[in-house]
Amino acid sequence: MKKIVYGILATLSGLVLLFSYRTSLGEAVPTDVQPAQAAPSVATPHSAATPSASTTPTASASASASASPSGAAPAATSGLTDGTFTGSATNTRYGPVQVQITVTGGKIVDVQAVEYPTDNSRDRQINERAIPQLVSETLNAQSADIHLVSGATYTSQGYRDSLQSAIDQANA
C-alpha cells in the first residue's frame, strides 16, 4: 500500500514540475519595447531611430529587407563609404535584432548590436555569449558572410540579415 501512495505522490510531483516549467517559446515578444540593458561586456541595446523592416521568422535563413535578392551571396565590403550605418531591424522568433556598423578607410572597424532579445534571463544568457562572437566574426570576415552561433540560431540569422542591410547602405 505504501508503494502505491509513494508512486502516486511521485507522479503528481512530476506533473506539477512539468507543467510549471516555463519556456520562452510561448511568450509574446513585443517589437516596440526597448530591451533592458545587457551585461557590460556586450553592447548596450537600444532602439535606433531608423525605419525598420520586418521579416517573417522561419527556421531557415530569413530574407532581409535590403536591396539584395533573397539567397544571394553577401556583398564584399571592400570600398565601403566611411560613416556609421544602421541596418534595418529584423524580427526573429524571440524579438527584433538590429546591427550598426562603423566604416573607416573602407573597412568595418566597429560593430554594435543596437537591438536584440533581452526580455528574459534565457535570452540575456544566450545573447551575452552570441553577440560578441558575431561581432568578432564580422570584424574578421569584413562582410555578412559569417557563421551562425550554435544555440543562438534566430539571433544569428537576424544579426546577419541586419548586418547585410547596413553593408548595403555603406555600398550605396
Side-chain angles (χ1 to χ4, degrees):
M1 184 69 180
K2 284 185 178 182
K3 289 182 181 181
I4 293 172
V5 171
Y6 287 135
I8 291 171
L9 289 175
T11 302
L12 288 174
S13 297
L15 287 172
V16 167
L17 290 172
L18 178 68
F19 288 119
S20 65
Y21 182 75
R22 301 189 77 194
T23 64
S24 61
L25 296 177
E27 297 176 11
V29 180
T31 59
D32 61 342
V33 176
Q34 292 183 357
Q37 185 173 355
S41 64
V42 179
T44 304
H46 64 278
S47 296
T50 58
S52 63
S54 303
T55 60
T56 304
T58 61
S60 64
S62 56
S64 70
S66 63
S68 65
S70 179
T77 59
S78 61
L80 295 175
T81 305
D82 289 357
T84 300
F85 304 92
T86 303
S88 59
T90 302
N91 286 331
T92 68
R93 182 176 187 170
Y94 300 104
V97 178
Q98 190 170 29
V99 176
Q100 182 179 64
I101 62 171
T102 302
V103 178
T104 303
K107 301 254 184 201
I108 299 173
V109 294
D110 186 38
V111 184
Q112 299 285 321
V114 294
E115 187 174 11
Y116 53 89
T118 58
D119 289 342
N120 60 53
S121 61
R122 182 70 177 142
D123 288 343
R124 287 188 295 274
Q125 179 185 18
I126 289 170
N127 291 323
E128 282 176 3
R129 179 181 56 83
I131 298 297
Q133 288 179 15
L134 292 166
V135 168
S136 177
E137 284 267 334
T138 302
L139 293 173
N140 288 335
Q142 290 291 306
S143 73
D145 187 20
I146 59 174
H147 297 285
L148 301 181
V149 175
S150 178
T153 304
Y154 292 105
T155 297
S156 298
Q157 289 171 340
Y159 177 96
R160 188 168 56 186
D161 292 344
S162 182
L163 175 61
Q164 183 61 55
S165 174
I167 291 171
D168 289 345
Q169 291 176 30
N171 276 327

